[in-house]
Amino acid sequence: MLKKSILLLSVLYFTSCAELQTMVNEYATEQNAPLTSFDVSQGLKEALQLGSKHASQVLSIKDGFYKDELVKILLPPEAQTISQNIKKIPGGEDMIDKVVLRLNRAAEDAVVEAAPIFASAITEMTIQDAFGILKGDKNAATQYLKAKSYSKLKDLFMPKIKASLDKKLIANLSTNESWNLLTKSYNQVASSFIGQLADLETVNSGLDEYVTDKALDALFIKVAEEELKIRNDPAERVSSILKRVFSQQDD
């Protein structure tokens, strides 16, 4: 009985070793095999899925925009004159701070909607595009995604941004109402005799499209950051297909 048991265990041991060696050989063959267009397409799709998902998550949390100086949304450029002359408006500095905070909250609120649009655009990537993107600029995949999804994202974001900017917040005022109050107060000063002597110009700028464009710019900045990590850092290639595909551009 003991001899039979030892024989059985020996058979199982050597069988397992043989199967393990087969798996190792198959893995080695797979890693060394020439990349096909399909492989590259799958690798790029996975990279974009990971990058776009992480970018959306990072920006959609509270202060995802507001406390990130790279993407924080400030007043529109044509309204910078308000900041430069804020002391002329009683309570103006506090009003600006509140408006800026709300601009960023609106963007944080909207950016979570990007995921399904990104997923659709990634699915549409053709095999023919694959090698060109892989061997292209360090943000080539992000640029591809932007070209395929920007218009759809803007159409999706705009109503979301507007609804967020119209939402009643502190003191029962919406962001748009706060902005209109701020610009009205400033424009009164700018239109006054003193304002004209100081060469102040009135400000007439809507927020909906401005914040939408800034939110989308930030989103693609973050996707590009994620793409660069995968391209430059092997540790960021968290699957076998990512390792295979992006190791080709390390040479």
Side-chain angles (χ1 to χ4, degrees):
M1 176 66 71
L2 179 59
K3 289 182 178 180
K4 289 183 178 179
S5 298
I6 292 173
L7 179 61
L8 178 59
L9 289 173
S10 298
V11 170
L12 290 174
Y13 172 77
F14 285 112
T15 300
S16 297
C17 287
E19 291 177 350
L20 180 59
Q21 186 61 50
T22 299
M23 291 173 62
V24 169
N25 292 339
E26 288 176 352
Y27 177 80
T29 299
E30 178 184 340
Q31 295 303 304
N32 294 323
L35 279 176
T36 65
S37 295
F38 179 79
D39 293 332
V40 176
S41 176
Q42 291 303 108
L44 288 169
K45 286 179 180 179
E46 184 167 328
L48 282 174
Q49 286 165 353
L50 290 172
S52 60
K53 180 179 179 181
H54 189 257
S56 299
Q57 289 174 339
V58 165
L59 290 173
S60 64
I61 62 173
K62 183 178 180 180
D63 292 329
F65 277 82
Y66 188 66
K67 290 190 176 179
D68 186 336
E69 292 302 319
L70 181 63
V71 298
K72 182 178 180 179
I73 301 174
L74 302 176
L75 293 180
E78 58 269 33
Q80 292 306 311
T81 183
I82 295 180
S83 298
Q84 296 165 3
N85 297 279
I86 195 65
K87 292 181 180 179
K88 295 182 175 67
I89 305 174
E93 189 167 2
D94 182 58
M95 294 171 69
I96 281 186
D97 289 342
K98 289 179 179 178
V99 169
V100 168
L101 175 61
R102 291 170 178 177
L103 298 186
N104 287 274
R105 288 288 182 265
E108 292 159 6
D109 194 31
V111 78
V112 71
E113 303 289 338
I117 301 296
F118 277 151
S120 175
I122 292 167
T123 301
E124 293 173 5
M125 180 185 288
T126 65
I127 291 176
Q128 288 76 14
D129 293 327
F131 275 107
I133 294 173
L134 180 65
K135 296 298 184 181
D137 294 336
K138 293 296 186 180
N139 65 345
T142 301
Q143 290 303 313
Y144 169 87
L145 185 60
K146 185 175 182 178
K148 291 291 184 179
S149 63
Y150 193 93
S151 295
K152 292 179 182 178
L153 284 170
K154 188 164 185 175
D155 290 343
L156 179 69
F157 272 37
M158 185 77 84
K160 183 79 173 178
I161 292 285
K162 186 178 186 312
S164 185
L165 293 176
D166 285 337
K167 190 185 301 181
K168 300 291 185 180
L169 298 170
I170 302 171
N172 203 35
L173 288 175
S174 70
T175 306
N176 272 328
E177 287 171 333
S178 295
W179 169 249
N180 291 335
L181 181 61
L182 173 62
T183 54
K184 180 180 179 181
S185 299
Y186 176 79
N187 286 341
Q188 286 176 346
V189 173
S191 301
S192 69
F193 178 72
I194 294 175
Q196 292 176 6
L197 287 178
D199 292 326
L200 301 183
E201 295 182 0
T202 58
V203 172
N204 298 289
S205 178
L207 291 182
D208 299 350
E209 186 164 9
Y210 170 75
V211 176
T212 298
D213 288 338
K214 286 294 185 181
L216 290 174
D217 289 344
L219 189 55
F220 286 107
I221 286 172
K222 292 300 182 183
V223 174
E225 286 181 354
E226 296 300 315
E227 179 184 356
L228 192 61
K229 289 179 185 177
I230 292 173
R231 285 184 182 270
N232 290 348
D233 187 357
E236 295 290 333
R237 302 164 191 170
V238 295
S239 69
S240 60
I241 189 64
L242 289 178
K243 289 180 173 69
R244 287 196 67 215
V245 169
F246 286 95
S247 65
Q248 297 296 307
Q249 51 102 69
D250 290 337
D251 301 331

